[in-house]
Amino acid sequence: MASLQEKLEEYIANRVRLGLLIDRKNRQVHVYRSNREPEILDHPDSVSCEPEMPGFALKMAKIW
């Protein structure tokens, strides 16, 4: 998973505004946003993608 985290950090450094890394085994979502430290969500029901994607929330029920 470390290489995926590095890849997302590279994307953010290259001006991608939002990246989600989903860890199904541990039921975590790592949320990468520009100019912020990654946020780790434990067992979320949904993940808000605002303000980068207004009105969009990723529902996690089918992923878990």
Side-chain angles (χ1 to χ4, degrees):
M1 184 146 117
S3 63
L4 293 175
Q5 290 170 323
E6 291 170 1
K7 184 61 84 176
L8 274 168
E9 288 170 5
E10 180 182 338
Y11 292 159
I12 296 297
N14 286 298
R15 300 185 186 226
V16 170
R17 295 182 352 185
L18 175 67
L20 303 176
L21 177 57
I22 300 170
D23 179 355
R24 290 178 66 195
K25 180 180 177 184
N26 295 310
R27 290 187 174 223
Q28 292 181 326
V29 179
H30 299 242
V31 181
Y32 289 79
R33 289 189 163 97
S34 57
N35 300 319
R36 292 190 198 174
E37 289 296 314
E39 178 182 9
I40 300 173
L41 306 175
D42 288 311
H43 309 289
D45 292 325
S46 66
V47 178
S48 173
C49 294
E50 299 228 7
E52 294 84 4
M53 298 175 70
F56 180 78
L58 179 61
K59 306 288 185 209
M60 301 304 295
K62 290 187 178 182
I63 296 172
W64 304 139

